[in-house]
Amino acid sequence: MRMRTMEIGVGFLMLAGAVALAVLALNISGLNLADQGGGYKVYARFENIGGLTARAKVAMSGVQIGEVTAIRLDPKFLVAEVEMRIRDDVDFLSTDSSAQILTAGLLGEQYIGITPGAEDVNLKDGDRIQDTQSALVLEDLVGKFLFNKVSE
Amino acid sequence: MDPLSDIIIDIRGLTFRRGSRTIFDDISLRVPRGKVTAIMGPSGTGKTTLLKLIGGQLKPDGGQILLEGDNIPTLGRGDLFLVRERMGMLFQSGALFTDMSVFENVAFPIRVHTDLAEEMIRDIVLMKLQAVGLRGAAKLMPSELSGGMARRVALARAIALDPDIVMYDEPFTGQDPIAMGVLVNLIRRLNQALGHTSIIVSHDIKETLGIADYVYVVADGKVIAEGSPEQLASVDSEQVRQFMQGLPDGPVPFHYPAPDLMQELLQETP
Amino acid sequence: MLDWIQSLGHGALSRLATFGRAGQLLVQSLVARPAPLVMFPLLVKQLYFVGVLSLVIIVVSGAFIGMVLGLQGYTILVDYGSEQAVGQMVALSLVRELAPVVTALLFAGRAGSALTAEIGLMKATEQLAGLEMIGVDPLRRVIAPRFWAGFISMPILTVIFSVVGVWGGAIVAVDWLGIYDGSFWANMQQSVDFSEDVLNGVIKSIVFGAVVTWIAVFEGYDCVPTSEGISQATTRTVVFSSLAVLGLDFILTALMFGEL
């Protein structure tokens, strides 16, 4: 077994590994967003977060502007509190913007949709979105439907 | 002149146990410098183990193995490395490194122990191979050699550093007459030409006695006879005589212990 | 009854002794590395035999497994109308679990058994003893390079497996089953996190690499130097490596992904 062939082979292995790692990083795991660092934190309380999880996307008009970083229970208000991080360059969300938990597709992931308001002042790091709408819960929907049916 | 006047290896009171078996029980051997010493005995007496003890691969449970004053079992790594530079061993199976060519195999000990330039190493390797008659086979791989040729290459490797002591582990076992003759011839000639000490471990009476200067017969963990080949022929011991003459029955019995034959035949099958 | 307890105790003690010998081998091989000048060519050679020659089976397996994942994933998800999630399903399954585990199992079968057989044969033909007599420590020269080669190759092979698998899944989902190319990749990129998923998968593969190579090398070194002994040692390598990989995978998964 020639030494040269082996060296070439091993070099190829290393190169393939490095390329594969790069592909994994960029194409498969979308490294860009997470690593842009910074971003500012915004909080919102929801009665029911439904199937929302951490790292769910935060979007405005369908365009992703951030992600959910943490979900906690607020002991004072006894509801769920969501912490999200918005990209630094999206700094034009007014303080009366509303946050709604939406679903992508029938069994798709839930995400937060932000609808901007009309105020002049914008959201800053640490601000809270007041106007929130919880996730749709199937049982409530059925209940509402039945109730409407009954009153007809 | 007393053949044991100049001792190079002095083994005193060596004891070695493997599990519950005692392989060597307080034995003593003295190997004369520059001569061919044979250590013989029935199979399984641990002759190969003795070579491993001398080479420092195994540690004895008791006793000393003195190589010109140094007790081998007590040597540290560095000293043992230097001692091994002075020893060459020919293993029973040749033990050539299968991933290297014949040339590389013989060059290996030289590369490990010295810093010589490539041209010098090449010259030395070619000369060693010439001594065993295999210079033309330098580029072959061990898998392409016959058994006899492999052993000769292993011998060239064993003498690559011109060691003071060369040990042969069952060199004649399983060889055809020609290969055997070649090997016997080589061992004797190298011993005379290079002046090193040879230790042969074997149970081949004819070949070994033909070239040995001094013989030890080991059985049951003890030395049961020693002397020159002529002295051994007239030793008054049944055990020794059975071994030397190759008698099928004697102190080492033919029959494995079993109940009486008639009894066993007459017994009903259980 | 007493005999049974005694044999149980004896068995336990001898297992403990074996484990001790294995640990000793590990420490001695890692601590006593030969000089870099000597080590490098040995390491390259072993990397070739252990890593490069495993590439074919890893790539082929990765492609097929990725394709099957794509196919099965589509079939299951299409009932819920969520077939666009196929991309993330394939990628997550591969990167978190299948790539490290399957690569390790294949590696144990192919490279692990080869290492055991090779070292066992060197022991049986007295090559290891020969090295010692010449004054070369077989642990440094034979065992250590092989150990490092396995340890280094495994993560590389795992990463290649993941990528080939995703590519296989993409071919099935996008080219054959008609899922929209954009959403396949976008959904995947959304849900696969580099530090959580990719790095954890790589950490798993490093652990598996160490364990599988350690077992392979030890079984070869410790085997009974007969042909039967070597064959038993090879079997033990494959069996123990596989069990160890699966067991460790559970523990690591619980540690890494348990909270999610």
Side-chain angles (χ1 to χ4, degrees):
Chain A
M1 190 97 281
R2 295 267 137 214
M3 191 61 185
R4 188 130 182 89
T5 326
M6 290 198 275
E7 283 176 342
I8 295 177
V10 172
F12 176 71
L13 181 72
M14 299 291 187
L15 194 64
V19 167
L21 195 62
V23 169
L24 266 180
L26 302 172
N27 284 20
I28 297 181
S29 67
L31 199 51
N32 348 324
L33 188 65
D35 261 38
Q36 239 162 37
Y40 60 100
K41 289 217 174 85
V42 167
Y43 299 88
R45 290 196 200 94
F46 292 91
E47 288 225 345
N48 196 322
I49 58 159
L52 194 71
T53 57
R55 280 170 43 207
K57 74 175 177 184
V58 176
M60 186 171 96
S61 306
V63 176
Q64 178 165 13
I65 57 171
E67 62 176 19
V68 173
T69 45
I71 300 177
R72 288 182 278 268
L73 268 182
D74 189 327
K76 207 163 68 165
F77 288 79
L78 299 179
V79 289
E81 176 177 78
V82 171
E83 173 193 286
M84 53 191 118
R85 185 168 42 198
I86 312 282
R87 277 192 355 223
D88 281 323
D89 51 339
V90 180
D91 56 356
F92 38 79
L93 301 171
S94 58
T95 46
D96 63 342
S97 305
S98 66
Q100 193 181 14
I101 298 184
L102 301 167
T103 311
L106 192 56
L107 208 66
E109 291 194 348
Q110 303 213 290
Y111 67 98
I112 293 187
I114 309 268
T115 316
E119 286 277 342
D120 294 324
V121 190
N122 289 334
L123 289 169
K124 293 184 312 295
D125 187 37
D127 279 348
R128 181 174 300 282
I129 296 181
Q130 304 293 350
D131 187 4
T132 64
Q133 194 166 29
S134 298
L136 287 174
V137 177
L138 202 57
E139 288 80 358
D140 291 347
L141 263 178
V142 173
K144 223 185 282 179
F145 180 71
L146 284 177
F147 186 66
N148 284 348
K149 262 284 181 226
V150 164
S151 39
E152 271 173 20
Chain B
M1 192 180 75
D2 178 16
L4 292 182
S5 54
D6 188 10
I7 305 295
I8 186 170
I9 294 182
D10 192 359
I11 300 177
R12 295 184 188 163
L14 179 69
T15 307
F16 185 73
R17 267 173 241 112
R18 185 169 273 149
S20 51
R21 275 184 59 207
T22 306
I23 312 263
F24 294 120
D25 189 8
D26 193 30
I27 65 170
S28 296
L29 289 173
R30 285 170 303 160
V31 178
R33 186 191 303 273
K35 304 255 181 276
V36 178
T37 305
I39 301 179
M40 313 184 58
S43 316
T45 41
K47 306 191 292 294
T48 311
T49 313
L50 186 60
L51 289 183
K52 289 193 173 165
L53 284 163
I54 296 177
Q57 282 187 305
L58 296 171
K59 282 212 175 11
D61 293 305
Q64 297 175 311
I65 302 174
L66 298 166
L67 171 59
E68 292 184 338
D70 292 322
N71 189 8
I72 293 186
T74 61
L75 290 179
R77 276 190 84 99
D79 293 326
L80 195 55
F81 184 74
L82 293 173
V83 160
R84 283 183 174 152
E85 203 177 305
R86 301 174 55 191
M87 292 185 194
M89 178 128 158
L90 177 58
F91 288 89
Q92 194 164 350
S93 51
L96 293 179
F97 303 132
T98 44
D99 51 345
M100 298 182 205
S101 68
V102 162
F103 182 92
E104 289 300 322
N105 262 284
V106 180
F108 189 75
I110 308 177
R111 297 223 168 98
V112 168
H113 284 270
T114 70
D115 243 332
L116 295 174
E118 268 310 302
E119 301 88 47
M120 267 229 89
I121 296 183
R122 188 172 164 273
D123 290 341
I124 298 178
V125 170
L126 289 178
M127 286 198 285
K128 299 300 177 192
L129 283 175
Q130 173 78 355
V132 302
L134 286 174
R135 185 165 52 92
K139 298 253 178 355
L140 296 178
M141 297 297 286
S143 49
E144 299 171 293
L145 301 172
S146 74
M149 289 166 71
R151 270 197 209 179
R152 283 194 275 157
V153 173
L155 178 50
R157 184 180 68 182
I159 59 168
L161 291 171
D162 283 321
D164 299 322
I165 304 165
V166 184
M167 299 188 272
Y168 301 86
D169 187 6
E170 307 267 7
F172 311 122
T173 312
Q175 297 288 300
D176 69 80
I178 299 180
M180 192 112 77
V182 167
L183 219 52
V184 169
N185 190 285
L186 265 180
I187 294 177
R188 189 73 217 175
R189 275 199 302 133
L190 285 174
N191 178 264
Q192 283 173 329
L194 300 175
H196 52 228
T197 307
S198 305
I199 305 178
I200 305 179
V201 153
S202 174
H203 49 239
D204 263 296
I205 309 280
K206 185 161 149 285
E207 276 67 33
T208 318
L209 289 184
I211 55 172
D213 293 315
Y214 203 78
V215 180
Y216 286 92
V217 181
V218 175
D220 297 326
K222 295 202 174 299
V223 176
I224 57 173
E226 63 177 270
S228 70
E230 301 79 35
Q231 289 172 327
L232 235 52
S234 43
V235 152
D236 186 27
S237 154
E238 248 203 81
Q239 209 178 6
V240 176
R241 217 172 307 141
Q242 183 195 11
F243 179 71
M244 303 291 281
Q245 296 171 16
L247 300 172
D249 205 6
V252 179
F254 177 69
H255 286 289
Y256 195 80
D260 185 57
L261 176 62
M262 281 315 290
Q263 258 200 351
E264 207 165 3
L265 286 176
L266 290 174
Q267 241 179 18
E268 313 247 315
T269 31
Chain C
M1 181 66 186
L2 219 57
D3 287 337
W4 181 75
I5 296 181
Q6 187 183 34
S7 62
L8 203 67
H10 179 73
L13 280 179
S14 70
R15 289 245 189 305
L16 214 60
T18 307
F19 198 66
R21 281 202 302 280
Q24 217 175 6
L25 177 78
L26 183 66
V27 170
Q28 282 176 333
S29 314
L30 290 183
V31 165
R33 267 178 298 121
L37 214 58
V38 176
M39 174 68 150
F40 197 68
L42 290 175
L43 184 60
V44 167
K45 191 165 163 200
Q46 288 313 312
L47 274 173
Y48 180 81
F49 282 118
V50 157
V52 178
L53 291 184
S54 302
L55 263 180
V56 176
I57 190 174
I58 294 295
V59 166
V60 172
S61 308
F64 277 124
I65 289 182
M67 294 201 285
V68 165
L69 274 178
L71 199 53
Q72 283 284 21
Y74 182 86
T75 328
I76 296 173
L77 290 171
V78 81
D79 287 343
Y80 296 91
S82 303
E83 63 270 12
Q84 331 91 306
V86 143
Q88 66 208 61
M89 197 204 87
V90 168
L92 283 176
S93 326
L94 278 172
V95 166
R96 286 183 185 179
E97 286 303 324
L98 289 177
V101 173
V102 174
T103 306
L105 291 177
L106 290 173
F107 187 82
R110 196 243 131 223
S113 60
L115 279 176
T116 304
E118 190 192 4
I119 296 176
L121 197 60
M122 288 180 90
K123 186 177 183 186
T125 52
E126 298 184 292
Q127 285 180 54
L128 296 181
L131 275 175
E132 244 190 296
M133 274 312 291
I134 295 179
V136 172
D137 185 1
L139 287 181
R140 283 172 146 211
R141 196 183 169 88
V142 169
I143 308 288
R146 286 168 172 77
F147 183 78
W148 286 104
F151 188 65
I152 295 175
S153 316
M154 184 76 92
I156 297 179
L157 291 171
T158 303
V159 160
I160 294 177
F161 187 99
S162 294
V163 171
V164 173
V166 167
W167 173 78
I171 289 190
V172 165
V174 177
D175 295 341
W176 293 352
L177 296 171
I179 292 185
Y180 178 50
D181 173 271
S183 49
F184 179 86
W185 291 103
N187 276 338
M188 184 194 304
Q189 286 173 2
Q190 295 270 351
S191 29
V192 178
D193 182 68
F194 187 73
S195 50
E196 290 255 347
D197 299 316
V198 174
L199 278 186
N200 276 340
V202 170
I203 291 175
K204 275 191 188 179
S205 69
I206 294 178
V207 171
F208 294 160
V211 170
V212 169
T213 317
W214 179 21
I215 293 178
V217 151
F218 172 70
E219 288 292 346
Y221 191 73
D222 199 52
C223 74
V224 176
T226 60
S227 44
E228 201 194 334
I230 294 177
S231 108
Q232 283 179 345
T234 324
T235 314
R236 274 202 299 273
T237 292
V238 177
V239 170
F240 287 166
S241 299
S242 308
L243 291 177
V245 163
L246 293 171
L248 280 172
D249 181 53
F250 175 71
I251 296 175
L252 288 173
T253 305
L255 284 174
M256 292 172 180
F257 299 105
E259 292 84 35
L260 248 159

